[in-house]
Amino acid sequence: MLSRLMKYEMRSQSRLLLPLHALLLLASILGRFFITGKVYERVPTVVFIILITLYLFSLVGISTGTQLFISVRFYQSLFSDEGYLAFTLPVTPGQHLLARTLVGGLWALIDTVIIFASFIILVMVPEVSTHWPELSEALTKELGMDSNAFFILMFLLNCISAFTGIILIYFCIAVGQLFSKHRILMALLTYLGLTALVSVIVLLTSVLSGTLPNTIGFGSETTRFFTESYSQTEYFLSITKNSLILAIVQAVIAYVITHYILSKKINLN
């Protein structure tokens, strides 16, 4: 039954998300031809700037829209009128949650991969590819680590964050349903509050572990911290590592609580 739930959910989410991401890839391919064919030399500069701006907005919009659509789909399928039908099926609440988590998480991963691929298609034109060894060497020197390894690491971190982020959104929606009124607002407030709390915990962890100087600002002590104790890349990676560990722990706890709410505290009234 779990596989049937996943197929149905994948079909429901793919109706919008598949063509949306296909359009993004198509836009990237057209943009690549626009650059390699030097079409930009034959159009006004302002037109070229507008097109680049629209492309960047589309990246942000599609990424945000994907999360929003997955969130709305989770809410509609379990906590709206559709939820009444869902909970009459011979399926446990755990199976409902697992199916939606796997499908939603999968689409979050697909979204991350396609956005990275879209950017690479557009940027890695022959002129950039030819000089990539020199650019990579310069980036490696600037970053303090192999640039290719850095980009791969960032990609993997984004994939993990995308998956855990979906679990967090599901948790906030489930918490919102515990209230009798303004459930969507309460889910949003839960998300904002939890995000703020995690940011504070990451900051405190970084200060206590010595990763972040216990000073505020960019004075001489902070500058000396970066030059003598940490490079800016090491600082960034350390902050990212702390955030990632906390995100995974948070996702596990959020999943367990969401499972409990669906099993014991479901309220469709």
Side-chain angles (χ1 to χ4, degrees):
M1 195 64 182
L2 178 63
S3 61
R4 291 184 180 179
L5 276 176
M6 291 182 63
K7 287 179 182 177
Y8 175 76
E9 195 62 28
M10 178 61 78
R11 217 167 29 239
S12 299
Q13 294 191 20
S14 298
R15 286 195 190 103
L16 175 67
L17 297 181
L18 191 59
L20 194 65
H21 287 82
L23 285 175
L24 178 61
L25 287 177
L26 178 61
S28 302
I29 294 171
L30 291 176
R32 183 182 179 89
F33 285 129
F34 186 86
I35 295 174
T36 57
K38 299 187 184 298
V39 179
Y40 60 88
E41 295 180 353
R42 300 191 290 273
V43 299
T45 303
V46 65
V47 174
F48 180 68
I49 294 175
I50 290 174
L51 290 175
I52 292 297
T53 303
L54 288 175
Y55 172 76
L56 294 176
F57 272 116
S58 70
L59 288 180
V60 176
I62 288 176
S63 178
T64 305
T66 297
Q67 281 199 333
L68 182 60
F69 179 76
I70 292 172
S71 305
V72 171
R73 177 62 199 157
F74 179 75
Y75 173 81
Q76 289 180 338
S77 64
L78 291 181
F79 300 108
S80 67
D81 292 341
E82 189 178 338
Y84 286 100
L85 176 61
F87 283 103
T88 60
L89 298 174
V91 181
T92 65
Q95 288 176 318
H96 277 300
L97 178 60
L98 181 59
R100 285 158 179 80
T101 300
L102 292 176
V103 174
L106 177 60
W107 260 115
L109 292 176
I110 293 173
D111 175 66
T112 302
V113 171
I114 289 181
I115 286 177
F116 269 81
S118 172
F119 187 75
I120 291 173
I121 289 171
L122 189 65
V123 173
M124 293 301 288
V125 293
E127 291 82 356
V128 176
S129 300
T130 302
H131 296 91
W132 177 246
E134 293 89 344
L135 292 172
S136 179
E137 185 177 349
L139 285 171
T140 297
K141 185 178 296 185
E142 185 68 25
L143 292 170
M145 66 177 293
D146 182 73
S147 60
N148 292 321
F150 177 81
F151 289 129
I152 292 173
L153 179 61
M154 289 300 100
F155 171 72
L156 293 176
L157 290 176
N158 273 276
C159 287
I160 295 173
S161 297
F163 194 92
T164 57
I166 293 299
I167 298 175
L168 175 61
I169 291 173
Y170 286 178
F171 163 75
C172 294
I173 293 173
V175 170
Q177 306 317 299
L178 297 177
F179 297 86
S180 58
K181 296 181 179 180
H182 309 298
R183 293 177 174 179
I184 296 178
L185 176 61
M186 298 310 298
L188 179 60
L189 291 176
T190 301
Y191 181 82
L192 294 175
L194 194 55
T195 301
L197 177 63
V198 169
S199 298
V200 171
I201 293 175
V202 170
L203 182 62
L204 290 176
T205 303
S206 301
V207 171
L208 293 175
S209 64
T211 302
L212 187 69
N214 57 355
T215 58
I216 299 176
F218 296 94
S220 59
E221 186 174 341
T222 303
T223 303
R224 186 168 62 252
F225 170 85
F226 279 128
T227 55
E228 295 179 2
S229 303
Y230 280 90
S231 69
Q232 294 189 31
T233 301
E234 289 173 327
Y235 160 73
F236 173 73
L237 291 176
S238 181
I239 289 289
T240 303
K241 180 189 72 174
N242 292 340
S243 300
L244 181 62
I245 292 174
L246 189 58
I248 293 174
V249 172
Q250 175 185 322
V252 172
I253 296 174
Y255 187 90
V256 172
I257 296 176
T258 305
H259 184 279
Y260 174 78
I261 292 173
L262 290 178
S263 302
K264 306 293 184 181
K265 300 290 184 178
I266 190 69
N267 181 9
L268 298 177
N269 295 325

